[in-house]
Amino acid sequence: MTHPYRVAALLAVFSLCVSAAPTVPEQVQKWPLGRRLSIVLKTGDNIVGRLGPVQTEGFVLISENRAHSERFFRFDEVQSAKTKMTTAHKWGIATAIYAPLLIMSLILGK
């Protein structure tokens, strides 16, 4: 038999988790200028670029193509935003993993 307090506690924890999710303006305002982003618009379009100036009603996204065009997006037209790893970050992670393995294989191989 399920205790009523357990159900209430589970509902309270679930509501805290759901309400703790940051909004798009909160996310974008905490990221530094130049951060690589992927945004999904409410129209379903997915756009990747670098974060430009942030204002109270929206932000500028600088495209990564050769033209480096800038486009202003209002927060109410953006469904979600998340950061993307750069190639340098990926290489840094790979180096941190494989360098110790290489050193250990050289030490143990002798």
Side-chain angles (χ1 to χ4, degrees):
M1 179 162 138
T2 305
H3 202 279
Y5 293 119
R6 284 187 184 173
V7 174
L10 287 174
L11 288 174
V13 170
F14 178 74
S15 66
L16 285 175
C17 292
V18 171
S19 66
T23 62
V24 173
E26 291 172 344
Q27 289 177 317
V28 172
Q29 289 172 353
K30 72 178 180 180
W31 294 326
L33 289 178
R35 181 71 186 218
R36 191 164 183 247
L37 302 179
S38 172
I39 62 170
V40 178
L41 301 178
K42 291 185 177 174
T43 60
D45 295 335
N46 188 6
I47 302 170
V48 177
R50 298 211 174 255
L51 181 62
V54 179
Q55 300 171 3
T56 56
E57 63 274 351
F59 62 97
V60 173
L61 194 69
I62 304 165
S63 69
E64 293 188 323
N65 59 16
R66 290 184 184 258
H68 294 289
S69 61
E70 297 181 1
R71 182 172 165 196
F72 182 79
F73 291 96
R74 295 182 55 81
F75 287 124
D76 59 2
E77 65 182 328
V78 178
Q79 181 176 344
S80 67
K82 62 182 179 178
T83 60
K84 292 189 64 86
M85 278 201 294
T86 62
T87 304
H89 285 120
K90 292 175 186 177
W91 275 105
I93 291 169
T95 302
I97 292 171
Y98 291 113
L101 294 175
L102 177 64
I103 292 169
M104 290 300 292
S105 67
L106 291 174
I107 291 172
L108 296 175
K110 290 186 176 188

